[in-house]
Amino acid sequence: TAPPMRHTICDVLAAAGCMDAGSNMSVLFRIQLRQAMPNATTYLSFMHDMLRVVDATQHPLGRELSRRNLPQHLFEAAATFSEPLLCVPVRETALLLLAQVWETFTKDIERDAAMPKAILIIFNKAFRETRSTSLQIFALATIFELLDSFAAQHKPFA
């Protein structure tokens, strides 16, 4: 789970996004937070935590960020940081964010048939990672948690 302070910050950002209908929130998530958090793991973890708050509390922020194509941006960022050349903690965090993006923005992700396939290919690479058993196990656990969530909500990819 997220550290309490990070969770509080996520709650505040989500509430602020609801008040201004996300007009500046997309820029905040795409550019300003990335600049403020140059460490990839920190940025990816923060975005994962933020999506959990947006999803769990059903803020209008989620719809607004969807309209502003944030799911595509987060998918691209997570895909970039899931590459085999990067260290295991960064790749694990990227996989976690990929799963959260798909779970939070299911319709956006599944609207483009290539995105779910690309996500599954990324997970498949992690399953087959021969240099890190921990990454293999993490990837399997993450995809099974996503599958469990989809099955509970009767989503087609379950």
Side-chain angles (χ1 to χ4, degrees), residues 15-35:
C18 291
M19 286 187 267
D20 84 352
S23 61
N24 295 316
M25 295 304 284
S26 183
V27 172
L28 174 69
F29 290 130
R30 291 174 188 259
I31 299 166
Q32 294 170 338
L33 284 176
R34 185 66 186 113
Q35 290 172 347

Side-chain angles (χ1 to χ4, degrees), residues 3 5 7 18-19 31 39 58 68 77 104 113 123 133 137 150 156:
M5 180 55 110
H7 210 21
C18 291
M19 286 187 267
I31 299 166
N39 179 294
Q58 299 178 358
R68 296 173 187 281
T104 302
F123 272 94
T133 305
I137 293 168
F150 283 176

Side-chain angles (χ1 to χ4, degrees), residues 8-140:
T8 302
I9 292 169
C10 290
D11 285 334
V12 169
L13 284 174
C18 291
M19 286 187 267
D20 84 352
S23 61
N24 295 316
M25 295 304 284
S26 183
V27 172
L28 174 69
F29 290 130
R30 291 174 188 259
I31 299 166
Q32 294 170 338
L33 284 176
R34 185 66 186 113
Q35 290 172 347
M37 298 178 202
N39 179 294
T41 305
T42 303
Y43 174 72
L44 296 171
S45 293
F46 182 86
M47 294 310 299
H48 170 262
D49 294 344
M50 181 64 199
L51 291 183
R52 284 189 14 227
V53 172
V54 168
D55 190 43
T57 60
Q58 299 178 358
H59 284 293
L61 176 61
R63 290 188 299 276
E64 187 63 27
L65 294 176
S66 174
R67 268 188 351 96
R68 296 173 187 281
N69 210 21
L70 187 70
Q72 176 71 28
H73 168 73
L74 291 175
F75 161 76
E76 291 167 1
T80 299
F81 287 114
S82 69
E83 290 297 318
L85 297 175
L86 296 169
C87 66
V88 171
V90 171
R91 292 180 70 195
E92 288 175 347
T93 308
L95 292 173
L96 200 57
L97 179 58
L98 273 175
Q100 189 64 49
V101 168
W102 195 355
E103 184 176 356
T104 302
F105 298 107
T106 304
K107 290 179 184 174
D108 297 287
I109 297 297
E110 294 176 2
R111 189 174 299 129
D112 177 359
M115 286 181 74
K117 184 176 181 178
I119 292 171
L120 293 174
I121 288 170
I122 290 167
F123 272 94
N124 194 16
K125 285 180 185 178
F127 300 153
R128 297 169 188 249
E129 176 61 61
T130 57
R131 294 174 294 167
S132 174
T133 305
S134 68
L135 181 65
Q136 290 176 328
I137 293 168
F138 185 87
L140 286 167

